[in-house]
Amino acid sequence: MRQKKLLYAGIGVAAAIVAIISVIVILSNTSTQSTDNTGQSQISPLDLDFSYDEANSNLKTSLLSHDINMSRPLQFFSQTNINQYCNFFSNQTKQSLVKFCTSTEIKDKNGNFLGNINMVGSTRAPGLVIVAIQSDPTMSNLNEVKTIFGAVINETTCGCWDKEKPRGYATLSDMIDAFRDFHIAGKKPNSTSQAVSLGSEHFELELTTNQSGYVWKLLVAR
């Protein structure tokens, strides 16, 4: 059950979600327009351009090429299970619109637990991808963090970093290093980046100091 433990202990994303989803206000309108018969299948304006199966399968293959193992996704579709295991929104109106959720566990080549990749949204497609990776106090697995975040960004956005160079960073590695330095210098328990536009999506980084070291988080949405 370690996977579920990190999912709750490592991801305090309710406030961050609002910041990165520029059209989150549409959720309330969508909820009033959908009926009980159509809400499950209606295309949401927040849907990302891939299915849960497609993204999880491609990520598993990509990470395996870097000797990082990703488990078969757990799937949650009953509202009871979603509320228990995929409760990421403090606003219950928004939370009630999460109709499907997948969660995978990530381990290094030696079988050491690294973190989770979670996807939530409509039954058709994810609207939000959440990655949480635990690091020790020395961030000895920073290369794994960069590899995992890079694979997720390439799969869930446009894969066009070299062309767009968001925020002027030549590489994602450079951005992560700068964010790490900002967090450590700030001496606050939690640091959150502003939303970063890449292609037609946005992503956000979050770094939290905890008793085990640090929790890195990546959120991707429209």
Side-chain angles (χ1 to χ4, degrees):
M1 293 296 108
R2 193 176 184 184
Q3 178 177 1
K4 295 175 184 176
K5 181 178 179 181
L6 180 67
L7 189 146
Y8 285 106
I11 308 176
V13 300
I17 290 172
V18 178
I20 69 166
I21 305 179
S22 59
V23 291
I24 197 68
V25 68
I26 297 174
L27 278 169
S28 297
N29 296 331
T30 303
S31 65
T32 58
Q33 294 169 2
S34 300
T35 66
D36 291 341
N37 294 328
T38 62
Q40 293 282 338
S41 60
Q42 181 176 346
I43 295 176
S44 166
L46 300 181
D47 282 352
L48 293 163
D49 295 327
F50 49 81
S51 68
Y52 295 91
D53 288 344
E54 176 187 10
N56 281 314
S57 177
N58 290 346
L59 282 173
K60 183 179 179 67
T61 299
S62 177
L63 292 174
L64 191 58
S65 70
H66 297 282
D67 294 324
I68 296 174
N69 297 303
M70 178 173 148
S71 70
R72 183 176 179 177
L74 298 176
Q75 299 184 3
F76 303 105
F77 46 84
S78 75
Q79 203 60 53
T80 299
N81 285 337
I82 288 171
N83 289 340
Q84 183 174 359
Y85 301 120
C86 310
N87 195 350
F88 299 122
F89 293 91
S90 58
N91 183 301
Q92 289 306 303
T93 300
K94 298 180 176 68
Q95 178 61 35
S96 68
L97 294 173
V98 176
K99 301 301 182 183
F100 194 76
C101 171
T102 66
S103 180
T104 58
E105 190 174 86
I106 311 167
K107 296 181 179 181
D108 66 17
K109 62 181 179 181
N110 297 317
N112 298 312
F113 179 76
L114 294 172
N116 303 89
I117 299 176
N118 303 282
M119 302 184 191
V120 302
S122 69
T123 55
R124 174 185 174 272
L128 177 66
V129 178
I130 309 166
V131 187
I133 307 296
Q134 177 69 52
S135 287
D136 61 28
T138 65
M139 295 194 191
S140 61
N141 66 344
L142 186 59
N143 286 336
E144 282 91 346
V145 172
K146 293 177 179 180
T147 297
I148 294 166
F149 282 12
V152 172
I153 287 174
N154 285 336
E155 176 60 30
T156 60
T157 67
C158 62
C160 54
W161 191 289
D162 290 343
K163 179 181 178 181
E164 296 196 10
K165 291 182 173 56
R167 300 284 170 83
Y169 289 100
T171 66
L172 173 63
S173 178
D174 291 341
M175 179 181 284
I176 289 175
D177 285 341
F179 189 58
R180 172 203 58 197
D181 295 344
F182 170 82
H183 177 75
I184 293 174
K187 297 182 180 180
K188 294 181 179 180
N190 183 273
S191 299
T192 303
S193 73
Q194 295 180 340
V196 180
S197 176
L198 188 61
S200 59
E201 282 73 45
H202 293 77
F203 72 88
E204 182 171 301
L205 298 174
E206 185 175 338
L207 185 55
T208 301
T209 303
N210 66 6
Q211 293 182 344
S212 300
Y214 303 91
V215 174
W216 284 92
K217 301 165 195 173
L218 169 70
L219 298 89
V220 181
R222 283 284 186 195

